[in-house]
Amino acid sequence: MAKGCLYALASGAGCATLVVLGFVAYVHLGSGVLLLALLMAPIGLCGLVVAHDVMNHRAVNANERLRLARERDRVRRTVDLVTDPSLTDVERLAVIDCFIPRLGRNPARSPYRDRFVAVDELSPPSHALLERARAAVMSVYTSQVMRRRLLDDLANETLLPRQLWEIAMLLRVQTRLQEEQDEARQGRVTPELLAVLEPQQEALRRSVASVTARVESLERYAGRVQEADAALRAMDALGNNHKYRALLAHTDDTEGLRELEAQGDTLQETLSRSVRDAIEAGQTLQIT
């Protein structure tokens, strides 16, 4: 309403200005110039209207983009999702937009429904398994050997996100199937019903065991990485050995100097072996 009043006032002021300018032109320049001014006046007014609409449209779009960016950031902070790592940036935004109520896009009817898992839809045991897998992956990503690029980039940058996504997807299916099993067992359970449900429950149990093994494989890899990290910290501490060699030299402890140098060689081999073990553990993830 206020904007409309301002626009009306601006238009009125513009018309009054044109009238005054027209009168001045008539007095000083004659009727020919006045006629030309009158012919150009509608064009000037149209230009004013178009410019106003363009500026208003840009302002609305800018406000909408800012609002949408804030809502997407809120979704990222409040909605726990595991997404298919092969999603494009545009597709990821489309998934996030499903969780913005005002946009009216139901996550259950999203065209990308099979490419994201909302963690809150998992059962407690499935959720616990997913958190174990996430903790293992995070410990790898935050390790010093990862930061210094001593590990296999393929395992860390490509394979780990894919493993996490596949685990989350399988856990969602297992959660749904277990819910079906629980629902089918409500009420009286007959031998005929058990004959159907027990093989299904066994198949589900085997699937859960397989996913658990994949999580344990991730945890073993994370353990190897932590061991490599410990060896790396030992090597960093070894860099201070010159201080201790100087101390032993001052005390004429020749045997201590030899032991210190031998420990340095041993630690170097330990670090190399630890990094090799971590890389081999990461490579085994490709065949699990």
Side-chain angles (χ1 to χ4, degrees):
M1 182 68 180
K3 289 183 178 179
C5 292
L6 290 173
Y7 178 58
L9 289 173
S11 299
C15 291
T17 301
L18 288 174
V19 171
V20 172
L21 290 175
F23 177 75
V24 172
Y26 174 74
V27 171
H28 292 279
L29 301 176
S31 58
V33 175
L34 175 60
L35 179 60
L36 179 62
L38 290 175
L39 291 174
M40 294 298 295
I43 298 176
L45 286 174
C46 289
L48 178 64
V49 172
V50 170
H52 174 272
D53 289 343
V54 168
M55 292 178 63
N56 187 58
H57 184 68
R58 288 179 178 176
V60 170
N61 285 346
N63 289 335
E64 173 59 22
R65 286 194 298 269
L66 180 60
R67 180 184 180 186
L68 186 59
R70 289 173 176 171
E71 290 171 332
R72 285 170 172 170
D73 183 63
R74 181 187 58 79
V75 171
R76 292 187 184 96
R77 289 184 286 102
T78 60
V79 180
D80 195 0
L81 297 173
V82 180
T83 58
D84 184 345
S86 64
L87 284 172
T88 66
D89 291 340
V90 173
E91 290 169 339
R92 289 180 190 281
L93 290 178
V95 170
I96 290 174
D97 290 349
C98 293
F99 295 89
I100 299 177
R102 73 178 180 87
L103 298 181
R105 302 175 188 177
N106 190 332
R109 293 194 294 270
S110 169
Y112 305 106
R113 185 63 189 94
D114 293 331
R115 302 183 68 184
F116 70 88
V117 173
V119 175
D120 62 3
E121 63 184 323
L122 299 179
S123 66
S126 295
H127 191 178
L129 269 178
L130 179 62
E131 289 308 308
R132 285 173 56 186
R134 280 176 154 179
V137 170
M138 185 57 63
S139 71
V140 173
Y141 283 157
T142 57
S143 66
Q144 287 295 322
V145 286
M146 169 85 174
R147 292 173 183 170
R148 300 189 190 184
R149 305 189 71 83
L150 298 176
L151 299 177
D152 185 356
D153 288 343
L154 174 63
N156 293 318
E157 298 174 6
T158 303
L159 192 60
L160 290 182
R162 173 58 56 181
Q163 284 277 325
L164 199 58
W165 161 244
E166 290 176 357
I167 288 171
M169 187 169 49
L170 288 168
L171 290 173
R172 178 175 62 187
V173 174
Q174 291 169 1
T175 294
R176 291 175 177 173
L177 292 178
Q178 186 59 59
E179 289 172 352
E180 291 179 1
Q181 287 282 310
D182 295 341
E183 184 178 352
R185 291 174 184 272
Q186 292 179 0
R188 184 177 179 181
V189 179
T190 63
E192 294 80 6
L193 180 59
L194 285 177
V196 174
L197 295 182
E198 287 182 349
Q200 294 178 347
Q201 189 67 50
E202 174 61 17
L204 182 57
R205 185 197 66 77
R206 292 174 67 90
S207 177
V208 171
S210 177
V211 173
T212 302
R214 293 180 72 166
V215 173
E216 291 171 348
S217 181
L218 281 173
E219 290 175 331
R220 284 194 297 273
Y221 176 44
R224 296 290 187 274
V225 170
Q226 291 169 0
E227 290 172 4
D229 251 19
L232 192 61
R233 290 195 301 273
M235 288 299 299
D236 290 342
L238 192 62
N240 292 324
N241 264 9
H242 65 282
K243 301 175 184 178
Y244 300 92
R245 285 196 298 269
L247 179 64
L248 292 173
H250 282 301
T251 57
D252 295 325
D253 191 342
T254 305
E255 182 180 354
L257 281 171
R258 285 198 299 267
E259 290 178 356
L260 201 60
E261 291 173 356
Q263 288 171 355
D265 295 338
T266 301
L267 281 173
Q268 180 66 53
E269 174 57 29
T270 299
L271 173 61
S272 300
R273 184 174 63 253
S274 297
V275 173
R276 286 197 303 270
D277 290 345
I279 292 175
E280 290 173 2
Q283 290 172 341
T284 63
L285 297 176
Q286 303 179 45
I287 58 176
T288 55

